[in-house]
Amino acid sequence: MTGNESRSGVVDAILQRYEDLSDAEKAVADFILTHKGTVSSLSAVEIARLSGISNTTVSRFVRSLGYASFADMRYALAREETASKERSFDDSRGIGLSDVQGSLDYVMETKIEELRSTFAALSEESVTKAVGILSSARIAMLVGVGSSLPVAQSAAIKFSQAGVNAISPSTSDGAMITASLMQSEDCLVVISNSGRSDRLRKIMNNAIDRGVSTIVITRNEESPLAERADVVLKVVSRDHLLVNDFDFSHNSINYVLESLLLLLFHSSRDANEYNLELFNRTIASEKQG
């Protein structure tokens, strides 16, 4: 296991790689995700039987997560189960109108766990490097597609208030053209949960061809976008635990973006002076009105 994988845990490793697993491996993954509280007490043979797959598939699944052996993975699962019990987090309740209060509690705890895991997956070196790239960029372009696009646009507005000359085109075509005109002093921030968007890959290729530094925020650090990035900021998404096959949350991505924003703001005297001036102008205009 790599350092980040061991810190993130088995569940997060499964969620990161789920889309790349075979159907048989997904059967193992689904069984583990459904029985997180007790699965560490089972043997590989028992998991294979209960999942309806072969022992060989379990071994292949374990290796695909980066563990040297089933024993290593089971030990990691046991540690996660212990930590979950210490937080009194019952992740078997599910969501339904029959128990609204319990459902709200389950969502809250899942989101808290998502943020904990994202924090554990981030490296100080990567965050420091990302802040350095953003603070020195002539122009920082933030891009996303689908539901990630408004996240990128909102972040660009916030980063501008921290002294970064940030932009976020409203369409992928606009981002494609802008990327082809960028300079080596610029940077590109790509926001993609899956890290597999073909449109974002093309935008990123245009930027790289211009010598632009690239930062990718994604849950899949082995994705095509992450593999070409200068800096990868890994996030963890637990959407699959709330509703299957539907990416809807940018909870962890916003946490990373806002952390970068605050680090930029507190490290930039110009940004603080700019925001103080902006605040004073706003108050003055309100008084005059």
Side-chain angles (χ1 to χ4, degrees):
M1 293 289 291
T2 66
N4 280 355
E5 286 169 334
S6 62
R7 290 166 65 194
S8 296
V10 180
V11 171
D12 294 327
I14 291 173
L15 295 174
Q16 176 188 336
R17 295 168 172 79
Y18 190 86
E19 295 172 359
D20 298 323
L21 299 175
S22 66
D23 289 342
E25 290 171 332
K26 284 180 180 178
V28 184
D30 291 338
F31 180 82
I32 292 175
L33 293 176
T34 305
H35 301 84
K36 294 191 298 296
T38 58
V39 72
S40 68
S41 63
L42 302 176
S43 67
V45 174
E46 289 172 318
I47 290 177
R49 177 175 58 81
L50 294 170
S51 302
I53 48 84
S54 67
N55 296 343
T56 303
T57 299
V58 174
S59 298
R60 187 167 62 246
F61 170 79
V62 169
R63 291 194 298 271
S64 72
L65 296 188
Y67 290 91
S69 67
F70 177 79
D72 287 343
M73 187 189 76
R74 185 164 65 174
Y75 175 70
L77 275 169
R79 290 176 57 191
E80 290 182 53
E81 289 171 12
T82 300
S84 179
K85 289 174 182 175
E86 289 175 352
R87 289 192 290 271
S88 300
F89 175 27
D90 179 4
D91 53 13
S92 64
R93 291 169 297 186
I95 298 173
L97 289 174
S98 60
D99 182 9
V100 173
Q101 187 61 44
S103 296
L104 293 175
D105 185 46
Y106 176 50
V107 172
M108 180 186 70
E109 292 291 349
T110 300
K111 290 299 164 184
I112 291 173
E113 195 65 23
E114 193 173 74
L115 292 177
R116 289 181 193 275
S117 296
T118 296
F119 169 74
L122 291 172
S123 75
E124 183 177 338
E125 179 183 0
S126 295
V127 171
T128 301
K129 187 174 181 180
V131 171
I133 290 173
L134 285 164
S135 62
S136 62
R138 185 184 68 98
I139 295 175
M141 181 166 72
L142 291 88
V143 296
V145 295
S147 60
S148 294
L149 176 57
V151 176
Q153 293 179 314
S154 175
I157 295 172
K158 294 175 183 177
F159 279 20
S160 295
Q161 295 177 339
V164 177
N165 187 14
I167 61 172
S168 183
S170 59
T171 65
S172 55
D173 287 340
M176 195 92 65
I177 294 171
T178 303
S180 66
L181 299 173
M182 296 177 81
Q183 301 178 16
S184 59
E185 297 84 5
D186 302 330
C187 81
L188 175 71
V189 180
V190 179
I191 299 170
S192 174
N193 259 319
S194 69
R196 296 185 177 281
S197 167
D198 188 55
R199 281 181 290 173
L200 291 178
R201 181 184 59 79
K202 292 177 180 177
I203 294 169
M204 190 169 173
N205 286 343
N206 282 356
I208 290 174
D209 288 344
R210 301 288 296 178
V212 172
S213 297
T214 55
I215 301 168
V216 170
I217 304 175
T218 181
R219 71 165 183 262
N220 190 354
E221 58 188 348
E222 298 175 359
S223 64
L225 293 179
E227 288 177 351
R228 298 206 66 194
D230 294 304
V231 179
V232 177
L233 298 175
K234 181 185 173 183
V235 299
V236 173
S237 171
R238 296 203 164 206
D239 289 352
H240 187 81
L241 300 180
L242 299 173
V243 55
N244 291 339
D245 303 323
F246 178 40
D247 286 330
F248 65 91
S249 175
H250 292 87
N251 186 47
S252 299
I253 288 175
N254 279 320
Y255 162 67
V256 171
L257 286 169
E258 291 183 11
S259 295
L260 294 176
L261 170 70
L262 292 170
L263 288 167
L264 284 163
F265 186 85
H266 286 288
S267 63
S268 171
R269 184 179 64 183
D270 292 340
N272 281 289
E273 291 176 350
Y274 166 79
N275 278 279
L276 181 61
E277 180 184 350
L278 182 65
F279 174 79
N280 289 333
R281 287 206 308 267
T282 302
I283 295 299
S285 64
E286 289 179 353
K287 289 181 178 179
Q288 290 175 359

